[in-house]
Amino acid sequence: MEIGFLLAEGVAPAGLVEAAARAEACGSDAATVLVATGTVSEDAYYRALASALGAPFLSEPLPLGPGTRYPESLVAGLAPLLPGTGAAFVYAPRGRAIRELLEGRGPVGRMPAIATPTGLRRAVFAQNPAGIAAHAADDLQVRRPDWALKTRAPPPTLAAAGLGLWAVAVACLALPSPVLMGAWTLLQIGFLVLVTFRVAAVSVDPDPEATAPPLADIDLPIYTVLVALHRETAVVPRLILALGRLDYPAAKLDIKLLIEAHDGETAAALAAAPLPGRFEVIVVPPGLPRTKPRALNAALPLARGEHLVVYDAEDVPDPGQLRAAASRFARAPRQTACLQGRLVIDNVRDAWLTRLFALEYGALFDVLGPALAAWKMPTPLGGTSTHFRTDVLRAVHGWDAWNVTEDCDLGIRLARAGYHVGDLPSDTIEEAPARIGAWLAQRTRWMKGFLQTSLTHGRHPLRTFRELGLPGTLCALAMVPGTVLSALAYPFLMLPAVIGLWPGRIESAPDFWSNLPTGTAIVILLTGFAAMLAPAALGAVRRGWWDLLPFVPLLPAYFLLMSAAAWLGLIELVTAPDRWNKTEHGLSRTSRSGALSPGRSDPKASA
């Protein structure tokens, strides 16, 4: 019924029959199939709908009146109009609401004017850009200030921490040598606890459910895809091709591409791309901070999917990834609020740096991530290919717009709220920086964000400890502040240890306690290198990357760069805490996997 009136508009009957058959097969409605696949444009469909109803069709800009609310008006698809417009309300129905309207079961009262969902969204955003920007930036700190980096009355955490470290350093100079040696030994033992998680991860087998059968089309839920783009003109063609290849019913895809208001170049590139109705370009209202999580927060209230995934602009996800995630969510307990996909570096042959980056990602996403998922431990998320139960994501108030590693923070926040992250053994191709300057800028942001996350969740340590428990607390300490602290201390601990503990230079003391610091240093040196090398080597073996194994011994040198990034991140935390170091994409010269490039043809998208 919701498409029958299109016959009078000249749409071929065969196309309508095919849309109805596809809708029945995937459990959707024919109107959504027509628009989502691009068979009929959104504007043409809603003009025809208005004509069939005998209602006025409103083109943009829509004259919205007082009482328009974000996001309520967009969720309902209904907003008041200014007096004198000819109708009290404007209605942009979707899906089965269209059938109800045609059957006379629409909004009570006079027939509203009809507009496209895109037109209504643009009008709502244009009416209250400052309010939407404030919601995207500050909703978390308003609703849960204890979970937010910035609070209404921020305690001098950073200054107090700096003064505390300075006081400890001064006090250490006055301590007797045995006391100082004992404190140093305790610190070494603490470091040993932290590296245990990485070493133990190599003993965890890959997920045995990786080949579980997917859900039938009719059982698949609506899936929202969010992609934040900022100065990404170079990768727009590749992104559109990659998202067009997703093997998922088009009528159940809700793809939202998010751009900043000032980014005219990316907007022009998207305007030039032939985007079917399942794609939606959302311009985020101007405001601060100008970060990815703020853009994601602006779109989160509009997500129509039961599940939601975040991709980066340069990503090429496996076409079957959404099906795999939906199937996994259907079988997983409610506490599994997120699934982390496997991130894989594609341009490994660009430089020695990209080879080592690929090994690092192999350790993180093919070894450590699956282990943390199996143990149900707190997991700093990867920022892309992160799949969520949308209602849970809303319940924890989305992302912290002021944290420059919003993914890491969200992973810890989910754990504190009683949820855990599952492993999704599905690949997403990523591009790694090939130049040290770009790599260092990216990693500096990550290290700064890890420090921001540490300050946020360390603000009330006893509360965090009660929420995470002892194992979870140790894991969170190891994965977040431990990552930064070990990077800061790495050159000052490892290099002297290698020199001082070189065979033939180790001197034995007459008693156990005198030998303890040296023995602990030896154990830490060996476990530290094991934690660095073993997961990377295992990750390469699991992927069959035999040509990368010779580069594994270079990782200790690579981690010297990590140390530089950690120190720069610490400095930037004080001097520019809100700065988002943008990584430029679309620069890779090689592709190991044959990932999509703009010059390749677009395979048929699923309907």
Side-chain angles (χ1 to χ4, degrees):
M1 180 176 181
E2 66 272 11
I3 61 173
F5 60 85
L6 292 174
L7 286 171
E9 302 296 325
V11 178
L16 300 184
V17 171
E18 183 181 358
R22 290 184 175 182
E24 184 177 3
C26 72
S28 183
D29 62 279
T32 300
V33 169
L34 285 174
V35 175
T37 57
T39 305
V40 175
S41 72
E42 182 187 56
D43 187 77
Y45 179 83
Y46 281 89
R47 283 182 183 275
L49 175 63
S51 177
L53 293 167
F57 177 80
L58 296 185
S59 301
E60 299 181 55
L62 304 183
L64 300 185
T68 301
R69 297 172 60 85
Y70 166 87
E72 291 83 358
S73 296
L74 293 175
V75 173
L78 188 68
L81 291 169
L82 289 173
T85 307
F89 293 90
V90 61
Y91 194 29
R94 291 180 185 267
R96 290 180 173 85
I98 297 174
R99 176 185 289 269
E100 294 175 359
L101 187 61
L102 289 165
E103 293 174 347
R105 295 185 289 123
V108 177
R110 251 175 70 189
M111 174 64 71
I114 300 298
T116 65
T118 297
L120 179 59
R121 174 184 49 77
R122 288 174 178 163
V124 171
F125 270 59
Q127 188 187 60
N128 186 23
I132 295 173
H135 168 88
D138 301 324
D139 187 60
L140 176 63
Q141 75 179 64
V142 169
R143 295 177 180 271
R144 285 299 302 265
D146 56 318
W147 280 355
L149 176 63
K150 292 193 173 184
T151 62
R152 291 188 181 276
T157 310
L158 187 58
L163 290 174
L165 289 174
W166 178 257
V168 169
V170 172
C172 285
L173 296 176
L175 288 176
S177 180
V179 175
L180 187 60
M181 188 63 68
W184 181 248
T185 301
L186 288 175
L187 181 63
Q188 290 176 315
I189 293 173
F191 182 80
L192 186 60
V193 172
L194 298 183
V195 301
T196 299
F197 285 96
R198 293 183 66 95
V199 176
V202 301
S203 66
V204 177
D205 292 330
D207 191 338
E209 297 184 356
T211 58
L215 298 174
D217 284 6
I218 199 168
D219 297 322
L220 291 171
I222 296 175
Y223 222 113
T224 293
V225 178
L226 298 184
V227 186
L229 300 94
H230 184 215
R231 302 200 314 267
E232 298 286 8
T233 306
V235 298
V236 162
R238 166 169 148 154
L239 173 67
I240 302 305
L241 285 172
L243 296 180
R245 292 177 68 243
L246 290 173
D247 178 20
Y248 208 81
K252 291 185 171 181
L253 275 176
D254 171 35
I255 302 175
K256 300 185 187 298
L257 308 178
L258 318 174
I259 61 174
E260 297 289 340
H262 67 279
D263 190 2
E265 291 184 359
T266 304
L270 289 172
L275 298 177
R278 63 186 179 274
F279 287 81
E280 182 180 8
V281 179
I282 297 179
V283 180
V284 180
L288 294 176
R290 194 175 292 168
T291 59
K292 171 185 171 182
R294 187 182 78 96
L296 296 175
N297 283 336
L300 178 59
L302 312 182
R304 294 185 289 111
E306 179 181 336
H307 303 322
L308 178 153
V309 62
V310 176
Y311 289 127
D312 282 343
E314 80 278 15
D315 287 352
V316 179
D318 182 274
Q321 188 171 116
L322 300 192
R323 285 183 180 271
S327 177
R328 214 155 250 250
F329 273 130
R331 299 193 315 272
R334 175 68 180 169
Q335 287 71 29
T336 302
C338 176
L339 299 174
Q340 174 64 65
R342 307 277 181 89
L343 305 186
V344 183
I345 297 303
D346 185 46
N347 59 323
V348 292
R349 295 190 180 91
D350 275 10
W352 63 269
L353 190 62
T354 58
R355 290 177 171 89
L356 296 177
F357 202 129
L359 287 169
E360 181 192 7
Y361 262 29
L364 288 175
F365 294 102
D366 290 333
V367 179
L368 185 58
L372 294 178
W375 299 330
K376 294 181 171 55
M377 288 286 106
T379 303
L381 299 176
T384 180
S385 291
T386 44
H387 299 251
F388 300 94
R389 299 187 192 271
T390 307
D391 60 339
V392 174
L393 185 57
R394 287 175 176 148
V396 297
H397 312 298
W399 296 268
D400 191 336
W402 299 91
N403 190 313
V404 298
T405 52
E406 78 294 337
D407 42 5
C408 172
D409 168 76
L410 182 54
I412 302 303
R413 191 157 18 106
L414 286 171
R416 291 185 62 183
Y419 298 101
H420 58 261
V421 176
D423 174 47
L424 180 64
S426 176
D427 294 348
T428 294
I429 300 300
E430 286 242 303
E431 176 187 348
R435 294 179 292 106
I436 289 181
W439 182 96
L440 202 56
Q442 181 189 67
R443 200 54 61 101
T444 295
R445 173 170 62 83
W446 293 0
M447 290 293 183
K448 179 175 67 175
F450 273 43
L451 287 170
Q452 290 175 330
T453 301
S454 302
L455 292 173
T456 298
H457 299 286
R459 187 181 296 129
H460 304 289
L462 292 180
R463 184 187 306 173
T464 302
F465 176 80
R466 287 194 299 269
E467 291 168 346
L468 295 180
L470 178 59
T473 299
L474 289 175
C475 181
L477 287 171
M479 296 296 106
V480 186
T483 295
V484 183
L485 292 176
S486 61
L488 291 171
Y490 177 71
F492 306 103
L493 292 179
M494 283 301 189
L495 295 181
V498 170
I499 296 172
L501 299 178
W502 197 262
R505 299 189 60 177
I506 302 175
E507 297 181 1
S508 176
D511 60 86
F512 172 81
W513 295 108
S514 299
N515 281 316
L516 183 60
T518 301
T520 306
I522 294 173
V523 173
I524 286 177
L525 180 66
L526 296 178
T527 55
F529 279 124
M532 191 184 303
L533 304 180
L538 179 59
V541 169
R542 284 179 176 174
R543 289 202 170 269
W545 287 353
W546 309 109
D547 57 322
L548 289 186
L549 285 176
F551 291 88
V552 171
L554 298 180
L555 285 172
Y558 178 73
F559 274 75
L560 286 174
L561 289 176
M562 290 271 206
S563 181
W567 282 102
L568 289 173
L570 182 61
I571 294 169
E572 201 171 276
L573 179 67
V574 178
T575 60
D578 301 333
R579 179 188 299 158
W580 184 282
N581 296 326
K582 173 75 172 65
T583 304
E584 189 175 359
H585 301 125
L587 303 178
S588 61
R589 296 180 291 104
T590 64
S591 172
R592 179 167 201 150
S593 64
L596 287 172
S597 64
R600 296 186 181 171
S601 59
D602 182 13
K604 290 183 179 179
S606 170

